Amino acid sequence: MRCYLRALLLCTALTFFSSLFVINYLASTLEDSTRRGLNDGESRNTGNVLRKRPGLAGRGAREQHRDRIDSEVEDGSDESSHLAVVACGPRLEETLTMLKSAILFSKKPLKFYIFADDELQGGFQNALHSWPRSVQTKFNFTIYPITFPSGNENEWKKLFKPCASQRLFLPIILKEVDSLLYVDTDILFLQPVEDIWVFFSQFNASQLAAMAPEHEEPRIGWYNRFARHPYYGTTGINSGVMLMNMTRLRETFFKNDMTTVALQWSEMLMPLLQKYKLNITWGDQDLLNIIFHHNPECLYVFPCQWNYRPDHCVYGLNCQQAEKDGVFILHGSRGVYHNEKQLAFRVVYEAIHQYPFGENMETSLLQPLEASLRTTTHSYCGRQSHLFTKRLKQSIASVQQVRRGR
């Protein structure tokens, strides 16, 4: 009996002390979680706010990139359109002309995220600060260095054009940004940036990015005739103009053909490159086609006049929406802004590039442009140059009206 009582007392004591240990452990764990929550809470809370209000920059992450260059101009508005571009090599003037076109017609504030190699960063800084003060009040900007995951920098840099694949890492780098419009350097806006920004409001619950088709006519399509990898839809997609819901891109688990397990964006990129690097031609655009081939429900497709390229007119007209409403965004792919192959594209670029800020846009931009376009009618694209100015006329008239109302 005594042995039994001793055993019972011993078990009771062990149970008591074990309970104390578990309670202390749980309390410690909860305390650690609370501390982590306080440390991470700003970014988490920001993400929740950002999903409701696209484009709002989270303040908690402003110190994460100490080597970036910030402008002193603050837009102070949640209504800003956020625009990202990646520039390397001889792309300074082309990129500045793209930014200029965005500023000329947009009525809402703009925030630029400029990723540039070391040689170009000073040029951007000097040029943007040299623009008239009245222009600088319309935008602010941040200049970032080109950065790729450590250990794989060379593979990503060699993919297609130098540093072009930087765009794939924007959701990882710009953790404070919810929604973003990425454009190539050879883009020209012929109407306000906020007009394409409206597509974000048309996304359904699963869509997290938006692009235009690579081609509208399968008979001249590249992907459906030559691709050695999966691609989106019938003719693929072109990534020169890309709306990105960054929050969804970071949080979504994507289906893929590398594993039966769905992967997040940051987990997927390197395995995808390793599998397809010998089969892709257009670099990061091909990788995006592969991703959305397996996840078509995640993509919103907007019409071709929002990414109008030489392919839409050089072989005859094959962008019906542009024929009806005009060109909204001009994409000078294949270097046509700087060669003699498609002069209609080049004269639009030169007109915007040469236009002096503050001058009357009708007399100093539109009229000289229309005169130059009349000299390009020997080509298919030149004969359709009225499509290049149809929407531009409306944008200029709207800006002039605002100026007169001041």
Side-chain angles (χ1 to χ4, degrees), residues 70-327:
D70 289 289
S71 67
E72 297 177 357
V73 180
E74 292 293 338
D75 57 50
S77 171
D78 297 346
E79 297 299 319
S80 299
S81 298
H82 290 220
L83 178 66
V85 65
V86 178
C88 290
R91 297 284 182 170
L92 178 63
E93 289 300 323
E94 184 175 90
T95 307
L96 289 169
T97 304
M98 179 276 292
L99 298 175
K100 183 179 182 180
S101 72
I103 293 167
L104 286 177
F105 308 117
S106 293
K107 299 172 184 174
K108 293 186 177 181
L110 295 165
K111 167 64 180 178
F112 298 141
Y113 301 83
I114 304 169
F115 288 78
D117 56 20
D118 295 343
E119 291 75 16
L120 297 187
Q121 291 181 19
F124 279 115
Q125 180 84 347
N126 294 334
L128 294 174
H129 279 305
S130 72
W131 287 355
R133 182 64 185 174
S134 60
V135 174
Q136 291 188 44
T137 60
K138 298 180 179 180
F139 70 95
N140 67 359
F141 67 91
T142 304
I143 300 175
Y144 296 83
I146 301 298
T147 37
F148 294 110
S150 59
N152 305 112
E153 296 95 332
N154 290 333
E155 284 193 79
W156 288 112
K157 287 179 181 178
K158 292 186 295 184
L159 186 64
F160 194 44
K161 296 178 182 178
C163 80
S165 57
Q166 178 75 84
R167 91 175 82 184
L168 297 175
F169 299 94
L170 296 183
I172 302 169
I173 298 171
L174 300 176
K175 295 180 180 179
E176 77 275 22
V177 179
D178 172 67
S179 299
L180 191 71
L181 171 62
Y182 167 86
V183 296
D184 286 346
T185 61
D186 53 3
I187 291 297
L188 291 173
F189 292 93
L190 304 183
Q191 70 175 57
V193 175
E194 56 263 25
D195 289 352
I196 190 172
W197 195 260
V198 172
F199 283 129
F200 278 121
S201 65
Q202 300 179 21
F203 281 17
N204 63 28
S206 65
Q207 290 167 336
L208 46 75
M211 285 176 271
E214 173 70 11
H215 287 283
E216 281 62 42
E217 175 51 66
R219 289 178 296 177
I220 62 173
W222 193 92
Y223 282 107
N224 55 290
R225 292 189 297 159
F226 304 117
R228 296 177 294 161
H229 58 78
Y231 55 89
Y232 177 87
T234 304
T235 59
I237 45 176
N238 184 280
S239 60
V241 179
M242 181 179 179
L243 289 166
M244 307 169 74
N245 185 314
M246 309 268 272
T247 301
R248 291 185 179 181
L249 280 164
R250 286 186 288 265
E251 295 179 351
T252 299
F253 287 84
F254 295 87
K255 300 184 293 292
N256 59 87
D257 58 1
M258 299 170 291
T259 173
T260 57
V261 178
L263 299 174
Q264 288 190 293
W265 190 264
S266 59
E267 302 171 320
M268 182 171 49
L269 296 178
M270 196 62 210
L272 196 65
L273 175 62
Q274 293 297 337
K275 179 170 182 176
Y276 286 105
K277 62 183 177 181
L278 298 180
N279 295 325
I280 58 178
T281 303
W282 308 112
D284 51 304
Q285 177 172 291
D286 290 349
L287 296 182
L288 290 168
N289 266 278
I290 296 168
I291 291 170
F292 290 109
H293 168 85
H294 295 292
N295 301 272
E297 73 283 359
C298 293
L299 186 68
Y300 181 99
V301 179
F302 51 70
C304 50
Q305 75 260 48
W306 295 96
N307 186 353
Y308 192 89
R309 295 170 289 114
D311 290 346
H312 290 120
C313 56
V314 67
Y315 304 115
L317 296 180
N318 56 76
C319 178
Q320 294 182 0
Q321 293 91 339
E323 294 176 51
K324 178 183 177 182
D325 301 319
V327 175

Side-chain angles (χ1 to χ4, degrees), residues 314 334 336 339-343 378-379:
V314 67
R334 304 181 184 178
V336 292
N339 59 41
E340 305 294 324
K341 294 181 179 179
Q342 295 298 330
L343 287 178
H378 59 280
S379 66

